């Protein structure tokens, strides 16, 4: 019997913009009509409600009958939308039906869908550390990054308004990712598994949910079973846990049932994240105060590329990094040797070009091979000199910064 009922009914979603009305007012109007529905809203924008109900193939809304349990077809979706809109002075959209009865002079409060000036965001991702400078430049905002070695993930932090990680798409090496955001309106977690938004798992600890059981105070077994199956949104905690190695799925599931900051804290613990992540999200700790954090400022694309390449080549796990470190030591400690080699290379290139010109004087033909090799050697010598000079300058500045840090530490001690 319950299976037939669920096959006959379709989940129908809508939005109600009702300034001057409260969720209680909306629930009362639905109860008067014996409509079974679920309402959801954020406390900061209670005039904007999500409404979810059931309708059949003929567009009739599920209502509770006066004499028995379960639900039966009632009024049409269009009739319900118009009735709610007129009585509440609202704009109602339910499924395909829409009716606007907002007063002409009404001013709706602005509701921002993106980060607010007070928002704090933490992204947990396998994103390579040397990609963060590029991301900071592309997003035009500072990014603070710390490592979580226990779970082989990078933790990227930023605050306030602006473009977010993922705004220009996600590459495979950055997924799966988890995004935590806390502001004055909301407290959410979103797991990005494939880069396709329909595959995301999203949960909010701030949204209020309320069921309207039609015209009955306490639902019977049949009505409860139907609502649980058709109207309840259940975020799959296993999808969130899947984004972090060795996460505790049972603890993550339990965290979704706990309200407010406590639920957020339990989710962070279930995922095995450092304790300071909660402090950053709740504003008790600034990202720059996190132990071992590195802050990347947006300083232009060429600067970002240089920093990214430097970080990559400094990573011992990257192929070629040992050779690069040897090269850095050579150009820093024996710059004369590099200059001598470049001069020799340029001289050889010039000699080849001179020989080609002399041969042309004798034979009347210019040997293209000698010219090409000579030009290539001269260009490579110039490029090598420039690279060596830039590398030496960067390394000397890095060593000076380290020495200054040591001096400051000794003076502070």
């Amino acid at each position: 019997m319950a299976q037939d009922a669920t096959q006959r009914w379709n989940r129908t979603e809508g939005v109600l913009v009702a300034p001057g009305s409260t969720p209680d007012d909306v629930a009362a109007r639905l109860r008067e009509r014996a409509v079974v529905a679920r309402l959801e809203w954020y406390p900061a924008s209670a005039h904007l409600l999500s409404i979810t109900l059931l309708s059949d193939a003929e567009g009739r809304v599920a209502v509770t009958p006066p004499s028995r349990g379960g639900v039966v077809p009632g009024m049409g979706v269009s009739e319900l939308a118009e009735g709610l809109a007129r009585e509440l002075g609202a704009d109602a959209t339910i499924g395909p039906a829409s009716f606007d009865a907002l007063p002409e002079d009404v001013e709706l409060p602005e509701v921002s869908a993106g980060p607010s000036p007070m928002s704090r965001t933490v992204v947990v991702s396998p994103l390579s550390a040397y990609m963060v400078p590029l991301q900071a430049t592309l997003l035009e905002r500072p990014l603070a990054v710390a490592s979580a070695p226990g779970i082989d993930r990078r933790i990227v932090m930023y605050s306030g308004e602006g473009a977010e990680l993922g705004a220009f798409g996600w590459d495979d090496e950055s997924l799966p990712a988890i995004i935590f955001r806390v502001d004055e309106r909301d407290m959410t977690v979103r797991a990005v598994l494939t880069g396709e938004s329909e595959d995301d798992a999203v949960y909010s600890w701030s949204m209020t949910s309320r069921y309207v059981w039609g015209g009955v105070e306490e639902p019977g077994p049949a009505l409860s079973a139907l609502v649980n199956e058709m109207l309840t949104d259940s975020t799959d905690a296993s999808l969130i846990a899947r984004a972090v190695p060795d996460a505790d799925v049972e603890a993550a599931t339990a965290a979704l049932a706990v309200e407010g900051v406590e639920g957020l804290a339990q989710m962070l613990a279930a995922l095995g994240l450092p304790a300071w992540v909660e402090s950053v999200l709740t504003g008790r700790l600034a990202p720059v105060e996190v132990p071992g954090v590195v802050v990347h400022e947006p300083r232009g694309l060429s600067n970002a590329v240089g920093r990214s390449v430097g970080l990559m080549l400094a990573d011992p796990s990257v192929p070629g990094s040992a050779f690069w470190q040897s090269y850095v030591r050579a150009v820093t400690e024996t710059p004369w040797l590099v200059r001598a080699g470049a001069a020799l290379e340029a001289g050889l290139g010039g000699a080849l070009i001179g020989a080609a010109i002399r041969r042309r004087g004798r034979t009347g033909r210019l040997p293209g091979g000698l010219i090409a090799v000579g030009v290539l050697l001269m260009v490579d010598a110039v490029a090598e000199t420039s690279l060596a000079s830039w590398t030496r300058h960067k390394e000397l500045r890095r060593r000076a910064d380290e020495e200054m840090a040591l001096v400051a530490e000794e003076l502070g001690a």
Side-chain angles (χ1 to χ4, degrees):
M1 183 71 177
Q3 184 177 6
D4 294 338
T6 58
Q7 289 177 348
R8 187 170 69 243
W9 296 106
N10 302 308
R11 179 185 170 110
T12 305
E13 298 181 342
V15 175
L16 192 66
V17 183
S21 298
T22 66
D24 288 340
D25 297 330
V26 178
R29 298 302 190 281
L30 293 172
R31 199 177 301 111
E32 290 172 359
R33 294 170 169 82
V35 175
V36 177
R38 188 190 67 182
L39 301 175
E40 286 188 310
W41 69 93
Y42 289 108
S45 55
H47 68 285
L48 180 61
L49 294 94
S50 166
I51 180 171
T52 308
L53 45 79
L54 300 173
S55 64
D56 62 12
E58 298 179 17
R60 295 175 298 180
V61 177
V63 300
T64 54
S67 58
R68 60 186 177 86
V71 293
V72 296
M75 72 196 72
V77 172
S78 298
E79 180 184 350
L80 176 62
E82 181 177 352
L84 291 175
R86 289 187 182 277
E87 293 176 15
L88 298 170
D91 183 359
T93 299
I94 305 175
S98 181
F99 196 90
D100 186 358
L102 286 171
E104 294 183 1
D105 59 346
V106 68
E107 293 186 7
L108 297 177
E110 293 186 5
V111 178
S112 175
S116 74
M118 300 298 294
S119 69
R120 296 171 294 276
T121 304
V122 171
V123 181
V124 183
S125 165
L127 172 75
S128 299
Y130 32 82
M131 290 300 295
V132 181
L134 289 173
Q135 289 287 347
T137 298
L138 291 174
L139 299 178
E140 298 182 344
R141 69 188 308 161
L143 297 179
V145 60
S147 295
I151 57 175
D152 189 26
R153 288 293 188 270
R154 243 60 57 204
I155 301 178
V156 183
M157 298 160 282
Y158 50 90
S159 59
E161 298 175 297
E164 301 185 272
L165 281 178
F168 303 105
W170 295 90
D171 59 79
D172 292 340
E173 293 183 355
S174 302
L175 296 178
I178 292 184
I179 304 170
F180 291 94
R181 184 195 294 168
V182 175
D183 58 25
E184 69 277 15
R185 304 186 312 265
D186 203 1
M187 188 181 304
T188 61
V189 57
R190 177 162 67 98
V192 183
L193 303 176
T194 65
E196 301 294 333
S197 58
E198 59 268 19
D199 296 332
D200 293 356
V202 183
Y203 186 79
S204 168
W205 282 278
S206 298
M207 180 173 281
T208 301
S209 182
R210 176 175 179 177
Y211 289 94
V212 179
W213 301 102
V216 301
E217 292 295 332
E218 295 293 334
L223 181 57
S224 295
L226 180 63
V227 167
N228 288 338
E229 184 167 354
M230 300 292 290
L231 295 186
T232 300
D233 275 342
S234 57
T235 299
D236 190 346
S238 66
L239 297 179
I240 298 175
R242 187 189 304 173
V244 177
D246 302 323
D248 188 334
V249 178
E250 292 186 2
T253 302
L256 298 184
V258 180
E259 297 181 356
V261 177
E262 183 61 30
L264 171 67
Q266 290 190 22
M267 176 61 74
L268 296 173
L271 299 179
L273 299 178
W276 53 257
V277 174
E278 180 191 352
S279 298
V280 170
L281 287 170
T282 55
R284 299 195 305 271
L285 182 70
V288 295
E289 299 173 342
V290 171
V293 73
V294 177
V295 179
H296 296 279
E297 300 282 349
R299 298 174 180 169
L301 188 57
S302 60
N303 183 282
V305 171
R307 283 182 290 157
S308 294
V309 172
L311 287 169
M312 180 176 64
L313 292 176
D315 186 350
S317 65
V318 175
S321 61
F323 169 79
W324 173 256
Q325 294 301 321
S326 299
Y327 175 78
V328 170
R329 287 193 297 271
V331 300
T332 303
E333 299 169 5
T334 56
W336 58 269
L337 186 61
V338 177
R339 288 195 294 268
L344 180 63
E345 186 178 18
L348 179 58
L352 290 176
I353 294 174
I357 294 175
R358 289 193 296 272
R359 182 175 297 181
R360 179 185 181 185
R362 295 194 305 268
T363 64
R365 297 177 58 187
L366 184 66
L370 288 178
I371 290 290
V373 173
V375 170
L376 180 62
L377 288 173
M378 295 185 70
V379 171
D380 184 67
V382 173
E384 172 61 28
T385 303
S386 299
L387 176 62
S389 176
W390 176 82
T391 303
R392 184 171 185 270
H393 174 74
K394 295 278 288 185
E395 177 64 11
L396 290 175
R397 187 170 64 181
R398 186 190 67 81
R399 292 182 182 182
D401 290 342
E402 285 186 352
E403 291 176 2
M404 290 297 295
L406 290 174
V407 171
E409 185 177 349
E410 291 178 0
L411 292 176

